[in-house]
Amino acid sequence: MDTHSRSFAKALSWRATGTIDTMIISLVVTGSIKLAAAIGGTEVVTKSLLFYLHERAWLKIPYGRNKKPASLSATEAELIPVKKS
């Protein structure tokens, strides 16, 4: 399971990429650097929070995860190859 700080770091790096994209699109659509920056600034805060919450919610969902034996430590379990069906 990812730590909270790792989820937060992933949220920030993804948002930096997304915000640059949003600002470029906003600049092309509006023609205003000031408006594009305002849109990008608002978007980076709201979407960072939403991504973090989304990431933490998905950590609670077991769908698609490989099951590891409960009797082993996390490090030991990572060393055991999982057979694919």
Side-chain angles (χ1 to χ4, degrees):
M1 178 184 278
D2 285 352
T3 63
H4 289 277
S5 61
R6 178 175 166 81
S7 294
F8 186 71
K10 287 168 61 178
L12 289 180
S13 68
W14 177 245
R15 275 311 348 127
T17 303
T19 297
I20 290 168
D21 178 57
T22 297
M23 290 174 71
I24 291 169
I25 292 169
S26 298
L27 178 61
V28 169
V29 170
T30 68
S32 167
I33 291 175
K34 189 174 181 177
L35 187 54
I39 292 168
T42 302
E43 179 257 7
V44 73
V45 173
T46 59
K47 288 190 179 174
S48 291
L49 177 62
L50 289 171
F51 177 84
Y52 176 80
L53 295 172
H54 181 263
E55 179 79 4
R56 298 310 299 180
W58 265 98
L59 288 173
K60 296 176 191 283
I61 300 170
Y63 174 78
R65 286 194 179 160
N66 291 326
K67 295 181 181 180
K68 297 177 186 173
S71 62
L72 300 177
S73 71
T75 304
E76 292 171 322
E78 288 174 3
L79 298 174
I80 298 173
V82 177
K83 293 181 183 176
K84 296 182 180 179
S85 308

